[in-house]
Amino acid sequence: MSSRSTRYKPKSGWRRKWFTVIYEADTPGGKLFDIILLILILFSVLTVMLETVSFIKIKYGSTLLMIEWILTGFFTIEYILRLIITTRPGKYALSFMGVIDLLAIIPTYIAFFFAGSSYLLTIRALRLIRVFRILKLTRFIGEAQTLSLAMKNSRYKITVFMVSVTAIVTIIGTVLYMVEGPEHGFNSIPKSIYWAIVTLTTVGYGDISPQTALGQFIASIVMILGYAIIAVPTGIVSVEMNKAQKKNDFKTCPKCHNSYTPIDAHFCPECGTNIEEYEENKESEKA
Amino acid sequence: MSSRSTRYKPKSGWRRKWFTVIYEADTPGGKLFDIILLILILFSVLTVMLETVSFIKIKYGSTLLMIEWILTGFFTIEYILRLIITTRPGKYALSFMGVIDLLAIIPTYIAFFFAGSSYLLTIRALRLIRVFRILKLTRFIGEAQTLSLAMKNSRYKITVFMVSVTAIVTIIGTVLYMVEGPEHGFNSIPKSIYWAIVTLTTVGYGDISPQTALGQFIASIVMILGYAIIAVPTGIVSVEMNKAQKKNDFKTCPKCHNSYTPIDAHFCPECGTNIEEYEENKESEKA
Amino acid sequence: MSSRSTRYKPKSGWRRKWFTVIYEADTPGGKLFDIILLILILFSVLTVMLETVSFIKIKYGSTLLMIEWILTGFFTIEYILRLIITTRPGKYALSFMGVIDLLAIIPTYIAFFFAGSSYLLTIRALRLIRVFRILKLTRFIGEAQTLSLAMKNSRYKITVFMVSVTAIVTIIGTVLYMVEGPEHGFNSIPKSIYWAIVTLTTVGYGDISPQTALGQFIASIVMILGYAIIAVPTGIVSVEMNKAQKKNDFKTCPKCHNSYTPIDAHFCPECGTNIEEYEENKESEKA
Amino acid sequence: MSSRSTRYKPKSGWRRKWFTVIYEADTPGGKLFDIILLILILFSVLTVMLETVSFIKIKYGSTLLMIEWILTGFFTIEYILRLIITTRPGKYALSFMGVIDLLAIIPTYIAFFFAGSSYLLTIRALRLIRVFRILKLTRFIGEAQTLSLAMKNSRYKITVFMVSVTAIVTIIGTVLYMVEGPEHGFNSIPKSIYWAIVTLTTVGYGDISPQTALGQFIASIVMILGYAIIAVPTGIVSVEMNKAQKKNDFKTCPKCHNSYTPIDAHFCPECGTNIEEYEENKESEKA
């Protein structure tokens, strides 16, 4: 993130100086700015939350509203500054973080027209992702990439899984609707499907639950089924993570093709070949 | 699926043309047909669902019924067409998808005699599996095969697991029935077993829950047990998926056709042939 | 099981013939006996269960009682026969299955003195484990051994885990007891610990749940903690199963020490050595 | 633990003798002391728990109080002894176990001033960790280290995961608050976030649950999301445990001390030394 955005760093002047502070976290100034920003974000999310707690609103309502306005003012200025000091404002405005930064200030202004929209300010929570910039950035990005690579690689398996689960849940919901009926809380098929999801995911609120013996028998089968089904996504992700991990740990020896050569080995543990030398020779042979 | 069904493709004429549209998804016409079909299926499942929501039924009941009849008519024509244009109608009628296609139209007709049977139309949800045909088919089938292979290979372990869980649940249910008794909702042993399943699978509706100190103590042990037990199917599936995945780590020996040759092996572990040499010789022989 | 028990097979006579039928499942007679036995066990467990459903008891109470007595009679005869026809009756009587066979008939007789003890007859469910004998025995025993080996190997890790969970649950329970107090259902520390277990295992009955803001905040942390903790036993079992599995799949080449040699390989896939020859030579060298 | 603390063992005298008993578990005396201590700890935790069960308190309140005082007296003496007999009392007082030992006696004394603080005595449960000392120590410490190493290595991935979950939960909570509102139990955003956590972790108390169709639809998506999300920490821990386990698959090169040498390697991947030759030479040099 940091390395990518430096491409848009102004060559000189006050904009360059501010760019270092606002977009980067390597200088003391940049770090301080990011820490203050995070505290303000946390503080503003907390303000929005507390505003919905009735007894707090009655007592401190106007104070909270004032804080919200001041913070929104600050975030608005910050957003405009970000647009000004980069050489490619359009790029920032359309980036993931740019869109979130905008969404994090709009609701306050909309609240003039639609009361209640200010609750959407909790979207500011997403801005907390910036925390990774202050901490050792590269390491976290690496971990996040391992996670998202594992997720990406399993997308076909997960699609197969999700379509199957949707079909299963629809049919279970219908059967329970026919068995239990509206008199036991299974008012309609959509509501029965909601129950089936609540059960299969082992959430189990208990707001709707089968009352008849047959319904409870079917429900038992569904639960044990859910027991087995929950193992599937876990298995998928485990396998993919293992693979993503292994890619970082081993390479293949160019001579004996031993695929369990540690990634940073100079000599193959199987045949003892000096790997760098071998590859240089190979290249010179080609030439 | 696609590749298999092409064997039953008529040699020529209008039936061949229609076969391409209805059974396949490679031509623009075939793709369009499948997309329209999926939308109609989704739409018809939705219609059946909404019919059970009382306030919608009162308002739009007759409209929904009409839509249901039109869609069932369309699906009936589609089913008959499928039978006509393939060279082996019996093969289709008895295939998995063929049976589902039939089950997806019958309930409307049965509803003449048994009111309520039309809810079974949600079985149409299973027809959505056709979605894989439109998307990149082979990839999804590959993933589905990995999943189902993993499931198939773990069937013995899962049988052992299931029989054990059934026995455990029966005994826990009996003990809780004796400890808590009908006055705390544990009316009968079957109901207590239902409670044991609800607890062991961590669903936990709370419609029945132990009230006595002893009952709660036993329940605590059951829950912690369930904690450990839930790890077992997960472990089974993980291991099997890893193995199914690993199938990609093996190749087949070009000489003895041993399919468990490690992907990076120089010598076949079955016949000892030097694989690279053998393949080079083969190629030079061809030339 | 089968192979072990044949050691106690009488040499000849009617006892030998009956031994084949009752203890073994390889002959048609033995298979038939085991299938009939399993059906009777299932039937008797069902009878005991139904006896506790009040409306069934009122209607068919005496019939069910009669069935129970007949079946117990049959099982008693079977138990005595098993003792007579083996050459080592003590060995059987003290074996796992022998104890269960005895426990499965005693409660009916005790019910003369203590009403209600007959519910314990559901212990017969454990006799269903015999089902593995009818199905392809060896394969199931193999799978059961993989499962139990994985369990056995992880016993130290699981002990560490369990002691930690017990300590955590005690402290969480105490804190919630102090925060919520008896007026919100947290009557005593043991009950609060029960709540902590219900929450940490994600069962979540909802019979007791925090009402104060602070209590709900702490509960949220506990739940997210439980989220992470549930991963631990799963991870433990997965790793152990993987190891137990791998032991069955690979051996180490005696020459190049490549540890990924398929278990049934004749030639090492890494160095091409004929493994059997190599080992014979080695042994002859030693001699 | 044991090996480390021996450094602080007095050279001679009665303090050395007592050190062996109190700090160590290798001699019969030391083992006996630890077993008695564990029993007393368990007993005292039980006493504190029972004191909160109202009907027991009424009957045996004064007895329980007396037991608590006697046990606290014993633990106080033990704590002072521990300080006296070690050569570095400060080291012990500030160690993890030392702090817990102190926290386990203070609440009784504080209870003079603040009634109710004595419940905190359940912190004594943490002292049960000493149990590992009596059992085969090293093995358990090894397992605990594998577990905690796996935990430590996954801390970056878990941080990424936790920040994401916090952001997701905040936004879901806000949406549900706006959809359902205070009339369905979603009183405030913090309470809605509490609901989101209860749902995403599949605990599902059911004290708050969505009532509107839209709310139930969103909740269904959240649950299925939670289904997928729960796979992530499991996957993380599995992978890390696998890696921690694999540490057993590596040895250290005798020449360059590279600790990532595969256990069956012939040549060190770092310095290329032929390991067997090197070790033979070393041995012949010694001889």
Side-chain angles (χ1 to χ4, degrees):
Chain A
M1 219 190 275
S2 166
S3 59
R4 210 189 300 163
S5 57
T6 47
R7 281 191 288 158
Y8 312 130
K9 202 171 177 174
K11 289 278 155 64
S12 61
W14 67 274
R15 281 170 68 207
R16 184 179 175 81
K17 205 174 127 196
W18 276 88
F19 190 97
T20 319
V21 172
I22 295 183
Y23 276 102
E24 297 176 353
D26 309 322
T27 57
K31 210 163 192 170
L32 186 69
F33 176 84
D34 272 348
I35 290 170
I36 291 172
L37 190 64
L38 281 174
I39 292 167
L40 290 180
I41 292 167
L42 266 178
F43 192 64
S44 81
V45 170
L46 215 75
T47 307
V48 177
M49 282 183 189
L50 291 179
E51 223 173 312
T52 65
V53 183
S54 52
F55 79 93
I56 292 177
K57 191 176 187 174
I58 290 162
K59 254 192 168 167
Y60 308 104
S62 53
T63 319
L64 290 172
L65 201 69
M66 211 180 63
I67 293 171
E68 191 195 308
W69 272 103
I70 292 170
L71 286 173
T72 304
F74 174 82
F75 291 144
T76 310
I77 293 167
E78 183 220 335
Y79 183 70
I80 293 168
L81 260 178
R82 277 182 192 273
L83 283 176
I84 293 174
I85 62 171
T86 179
T87 56
R88 295 275 299 273
K91 202 87 189 175
Y92 162 69
L94 295 173
S95 72
F96 179 66
M97 286 316 286
V99 170
I100 287 173
D101 289 353
L102 184 62
L103 287 176
I105 48 177
I106 289 181
T108 313
Y109 299 109
I110 296 181
F112 274 122
F113 311 102
F114 305 99
S117 77
S118 69
Y119 303 141
L120 289 172
L121 288 171
T122 55
I123 208 169
R124 284 172 183 169
L126 281 181
R127 296 192 75 197
L128 292 175
I129 298 172
R130 283 172 200 277
V131 80
F132 297 134
R133 205 152 26 146
I134 306 175
L135 303 163
K136 274 180 199 164
L137 180 73
T138 39
R139 182 172 270 148
F140 278 96
I141 286 193
E143 297 295 350
Q145 275 173 346
T146 307
L147 279 183
S148 66
L149 181 71
M151 286 298 186
K152 205 178 142 195
N153 282 341
S154 33
R155 70 183 179 286
Y156 291 111
K157 277 204 205 71
I158 283 175
T159 307
V160 171
F161 177 70
M162 282 301 175
V163 171
S164 314
V165 166
T166 307
I168 290 170
V169 152
T170 307
I171 289 162
I172 292 170
T174 306
V175 170
L176 257 286
Y177 171 71
M178 292 173 72
V179 168
E180 292 283 330
E183 62 273 27
H184 296 139
F186 291 75
N187 298 359
S188 62
I189 291 182
K191 197 158 194 178
S192 295
I193 291 174
Y194 163 72
W195 169 85
I197 293 173
V198 167
T199 300
L200 206 68
T201 56
T202 78
V203 171
Y205 286 133
D207 50 350
I208 319 164
S209 65
Q211 308 292 319
T212 65
L214 182 59
Q216 292 179 344
F217 180 70
I218 296 170
S220 298
I221 293 170
V222 172
M223 282 174 235
I224 288 179
L225 196 75
Y227 216 47
I229 287 180
I230 210 167
V232 176
T234 313
I236 294 172
V237 175
S238 285
V239 168
E240 288 304 331
M241 282 181 126
N242 239 322
K243 274 171 68 183
Q245 200 60 256
K246 223 170 245 172
K247 283 221 176 102
N248 300 332
D249 286 358
F250 293 104
K251 59 181 174 192
T252 302
C253 169
K255 193 177 174 194
C256 75
H257 302 285
N258 166 23
S259 61
Y260 279 87
T261 310
I263 199 78
D264 53 353
H266 299 138
F267 300 90
C268 170
E270 209 45 44
C271 65
T273 306
N274 185 323
I275 295 171
E276 279 125 63
E277 264 185 30
Y278 186 88
E279 286 189 329
E280 271 169 35
N281 288 342
K282 233 178 169 178
E283 272 174 45
S284 55
E285 271 174 36
K286 278 184 191 167
Chain B
M1 219 192 273
S2 166
S3 61
R4 211 189 299 163
S5 56
T6 47
R7 282 191 286 158
Y8 311 129
K9 203 172 177 174
K11 289 278 156 59
S12 61
W14 67 274
R15 281 170 68 209
R16 185 179 174 80
K17 204 175 129 197
W18 276 88
F19 190 96
T20 320
V21 172
I22 294 183
Y23 276 102
E24 296 176 352
D26 309 323
T27 56
K31 209 162 194 171
L32 186 70
F33 177 83
D34 272 347
I35 290 171
I36 291 172
L37 190 64
L38 280 175
I39 292 168
L40 290 180
I41 292 167
L42 265 178
F43 193 64
S44 81
V45 170
L46 216 74
T47 307
V48 176
M49 282 183 187
L50 291 179
E51 224 172 312
T52 65
V53 183
S54 53
F55 80 93
I56 291 178
K57 192 176 186 173
I58 290 163
K59 256 192 167 164
Y60 308 104
S62 52
T63 319
L64 290 172
L65 201 70
M66 212 181 63
I67 292 171
E68 192 194 310
W69 271 104
I70 292 170
L71 285 172
T72 303
F74 174 83
F75 291 144
T76 310
I77 294 167
E78 183 219 335
Y79 182 70
I80 294 168
L81 260 177
R82 277 182 193 273
L83 284 175
I84 293 175
I85 62 172
T86 180
T87 57
R88 293 277 299 273
K91 201 88 188 175
Y92 162 69
L94 295 172
S95 73
F96 179 66
M97 286 318 285
V99 170
I100 287 173
D101 289 354
L102 184 61
L103 287 177
I105 48 176
I106 289 180
T108 313
Y109 300 109
I110 297 181
F112 275 121
F113 312 101
F114 304 99
S117 77
S118 69
Y119 303 141
L120 288 172
L121 289 171
T122 55
I123 209 169
R124 284 172 183 171
L126 280 181
R127 296 192 75 196
L128 292 175
I129 298 172
R130 283 171 201 277
V131 80
F132 297 133
R133 202 147 34 138
I134 306 176
L135 304 163
K136 274 180 198 163
L137 180 74
T138 39
R139 183 172 269 146
F140 277 97
I141 286 193
E143 297 294 351
Q145 275 173 347
T146 307
L147 279 183
S148 66
L149 181 72
M151 286 298 187
K152 205 178 143 195
N153 282 342
S154 32
R155 70 183 178 287
Y156 291 111
K157 277 203 205 73
I158 282 174
T159 307
V160 171
F161 177 70
M162 282 300 176
V163 171
S164 314
V165 166
T166 307
I168 290 170
V169 153
T170 307
I171 289 162
I172 292 170
T174 307
V175 171
L176 257 285
Y177 171 72
M178 292 174 72
V179 168
E180 293 282 331
E183 62 273 26
H184 295 138
F186 292 75
N187 298 359
S188 61
I189 292 182
K191 196 158 194 179
S192 296
I193 291 174
Y194 164 72
W195 169 85
I197 293 173
V198 167
T199 300
L200 206 68
T201 57
T202 77
V203 171
Y205 286 133
D207 50 350
I208 319 164
S209 64
Q211 308 291 320
T212 65
L214 182 58
Q216 292 180 343
F217 180 70
I218 296 170
S220 298
I221 292 169
V222 172
M223 283 175 235
I224 288 178
L225 196 75
Y227 216 46
I229 287 179
I230 210 167
V232 177
T234 312
I236 294 172
V237 175
S238 284
V239 168
E240 288 304 332
M241 283 181 125
N242 241 321
K243 273 172 69 185
Q245 201 59 256
K246 235 171 231 168
K247 284 275 151 72
N248 301 332
D249 293 358
F250 292 101
K251 58 183 175 192
T252 301
C253 170
K255 194 177 174 194
C256 75
H257 303 286
N258 165 25
S259 61
Y260 278 88
T261 310
I263 199 79
D264 52 352
H266 299 140
F267 301 91
C268 169
E270 206 49 40
C271 65
T273 307
N274 185 321
I275 295 171
E276 278 125 65
E277 265 184 31
Y278 186 87
E279 285 188 330
E280 271 170 36
N281 288 342
K282 233 178 170 179
E283 272 174 45
S284 55
E285 272 173 34
K286 278 184 193 168
Chain C
M1 218 191 275
S2 167
S3 60
R4 212 188 298 164
S5 57
T6 47
R7 283 192 287 160
Y8 310 130
K9 203 170 175 175
K11 289 276 155 65
S12 62
W14 68 274
R15 281 172 68 208
R16 185 179 174 81
K17 204 175 129 195
W18 277 89
F19 190 96
T20 320
V21 172
I22 294 183
Y23 277 102
E24 296 176 353
D26 309 323
T27 56
K31 211 164 192 169
L32 187 69
F33 176 83
D34 271 348
I35 289 170
I36 291 172
L37 190 64
L38 281 175
I39 292 167
L40 290 180
I41 292 168
L42 265 178
F43 193 64
S44 82
V45 171
L46 216 75
T47 307
V48 177
M49 280 183 189
L50 290 179
E51 223 173 313
T52 65
V53 183
S54 51
F55 80 93
I56 291 176
K57 193 177 185 172
I58 291 163
K59 256 193 167 164
Y60 308 103
S62 53
T63 319
L64 289 171
L65 201 70
M66 212 181 64
I67 293 171
E68 192 194 309
W69 271 103
I70 293 170
L71 286 173
T72 302
F74 174 83
F75 291 143
T76 310
I77 294 166
E78 182 220 337
Y79 182 71
I80 293 167
L81 259 178
R82 276 183 193 272
L83 283 176
I84 293 172
I85 63 172
T86 179
T87 56
R88 294 276 299 272
K91 202 90 188 173
Y92 162 69
L94 294 173
S95 72
F96 179 66
M97 286 317 285
V99 170
I100 287 173
D101 290 354
L102 184 61
L103 287 177
I105 47 177
I106 290 181
T108 313
Y109 300 109
I110 296 182
F112 275 121
F113 311 102
F114 304 99
S117 77
S118 69
Y119 303 142
L120 288 172
L121 288 171
T122 56
I123 210 169
R124 284 172 183 171
L126 280 181
R127 296 192 75 196
L128 293 175
I129 297 172
R130 283 172 201 276
V131 79
F132 298 134
R133 205 153 25 144
I134 306 176
L135 305 163
K136 274 181 197 162
L137 180 74
T138 39
R139 182 173 269 148
F140 278 96
I141 286 193
E143 298 294 351
Q145 275 172 346
T146 308
L147 279 184
S148 66
L149 182 71
M151 286 298 186
K152 206 177 142 194
N153 282 342
S154 33
R155 69 182 178 287
Y156 291 110
K157 277 203 205 72
I158 283 175
T159 307
V160 171
F161 177 70
M162 283 300 176
V163 171
S164 314
V165 166
T166 307
I168 290 171
V169 153
T170 307
I171 289 162
I172 291 170
T174 306
V175 171
L176 257 286
Y177 172 72
M178 292 174 73
V179 167
E180 293 282 330
E183 63 272 26
H184 295 138
F186 292 76
N187 298 359
S188 62
I189 291 182
K191 197 159 193 178
S192 296
I193 292 174
Y194 164 72
W195 169 85
I197 293 172
V198 168
T199 301
L200 206 68
T201 56
T202 77
V203 170
Y205 287 133
D207 50 350
I208 320 163
S209 64
Q211 307 292 320
T212 65
L214 182 59
Q216 292 180 342
F217 179 71
I218 296 170
S220 298
I221 293 169
V222 172
M223 284 175 234
I224 289 179
L225 196 75
Y227 216 47
I229 287 179
I230 210 167
V232 176
T234 312
I236 294 172
V237 175
S238 285
V239 168
E240 287 305 330
M241 283 181 125
N242 240 322
K243 273 171 68 185
Q245 200 62 255
K246 221 170 247 171
K247 282 221 176 103
N248 300 333
D249 286 359
F250 293 103
K251 59 181 174 193
T252 301
C253 169
K255 194 177 173 194
C256 75
H257 301 285
N258 166 23
S259 61
Y260 279 87
T261 309
I263 199 78
D264 53 353
H266 300 137
F267 299 91
C268 170
E270 209 46 44
C271 65
T273 307
N274 185 322
I275 294 171
E276 279 124 63
E277 264 185 33
Y278 185 87
E279 286 188 331
E280 272 169 36
N281 288 342
K282 233 178 170 179
E283 272 174 46
S284 57
E285 271 173 36
K286 278 184 193 168
Chain D
M1 218 191 274
S2 166
S3 61
R4 210 188 298 164
S5 57
T6 47
R7 282 192 287 160
Y8 312 130
K9 203 170 175 176
K11 289 279 155 61
S12 63
W14 66 275
R15 281 170 68 208
R16 184 179 176 82
K17 204 174 127 196
W18 276 88
F19 191 96
T20 319
V21 173
I22 294 184
Y23 277 103
E24 297 175 353
D26 309 322
T27 56
K31 210 163 193 171
L32 187 70
F33 177 83
D34 273 347
I35 290 170
I36 291 172
L37 190 63
L38 281 174
I39 293 168
L40 290 180
I41 292 167
L42 265 177
F43 192 64
S44 82
V45 170
L46 216 73
T47 307
V48 176
M49 281 182 188
L50 291 179
E51 223 173 313
T52 65
V53 183
S54 51
F55 80 92
I56 291 178
K57 193 176 184 172
I58 290 163
K59 255 191 168 167
Y60 308 103
S62 52
T63 319
L64 290 172
L65 201 69
M66 212 181 64
I67 293 171
E68 192 195 308
W69 271 104
I70 292 170
L71 286 172
T72 303
F74 175 82
F75 292 144
T76 310
I77 293 166
E78 183 220 335
Y79 183 70
I80 293 167
L81 260 178
R82 277 182 193 273
L83 283 175
I84 292 173
I85 62 172
T86 180
T87 57
R88 294 277 299 272
K91 202 87 189 175
Y92 162 69
L94 295 172
S95 73
F96 180 66
M97 287 317 285
V99 170
I100 288 174
D101 289 354
L102 183 62
L103 287 176
I105 48 177
I106 290 182
T108 313
Y109 300 109
I110 295 181
F112 274 123
F113 311 102
F114 305 99
S117 77
S118 70
Y119 303 141
L120 289 172
L121 288 172
T122 56
I123 209 168
R124 284 172 183 169
L126 281 181
R127 296 191 75 197
L128 292 174
I129 297 172
R130 283 172 200 276
V131 79
F132 298 133
R133 207 153 23 146
I134 306 175
L135 304 162
K136 274 181 199 161
L137 181 73
T138 39
R139 183 173 270 148
F140 278 97
I141 286 193
E143 297 295 351
Q145 276 173 346
T146 307
L147 278 184
S148 66
L149 181 71
M151 285 298 186
K152 206 178 142 194
N153 282 341
S154 33
R155 71 183 177 287
Y156 291 111
K157 277 204 204 72
I158 282 174
T159 307
V160 171
F161 176 70
M162 281 302 176
V163 171
S164 313
V165 166
T166 308
I168 290 170
V169 152
T170 307
I171 289 162
I172 292 170
T174 306
V175 170
L176 258 286
Y177 172 71
M178 293 174 71
V179 168
E180 292 282 331
E183 62 272 26
H184 296 138
F186 291 75
N187 298 358
S188 62
I189 291 182
K191 197 158 193 179
S192 295
I193 291 173
Y194 163 72
W195 169 86
I197 293 172
V198 168
T199 300
L200 206 68
T201 56
T202 77
V203 171
Y205 285 134
D207 51 349
I208 319 164
S209 64
Q211 307 292 321
T212 65
L214 182 59
Q216 292 180 343
F217 180 71
I218 296 170
S220 298
I221 293 170
V222 172
M223 283 175 234
I224 289 179
L225 196 75
Y227 216 47
I229 287 180
I230 210 167
V232 177
T234 312
I236 294 171
V237 175
S238 284
V239 168
E240 287 305 332
M241 282 181 126
N242 241 321
K243 273 172 68 185
Q245 200 60 257
K246 236 171 230 167
K247 284 275 151 72
N248 300 332
D249 293 358
F250 292 102
K251 59 183 174 191
T252 302
C253 169
K255 194 177 173 192
C256 75
H257 302 286
N258 165 25
S259 61
Y260 277 88
T261 309
I263 200 80
D264 53 352
H266 300 139
F267 300 91
C268 170
E270 207 49 40
C271 65
T273 306
N274 186 322
I275 295 171
E276 279 125 65
E277 265 186 31
Y278 186 86
E279 286 188 330
E280 271 170 37
N281 288 343
K282 234 177 170 179
E283 271 173 47
S284 57
E285 272 172 35
K286 279 183 192 168

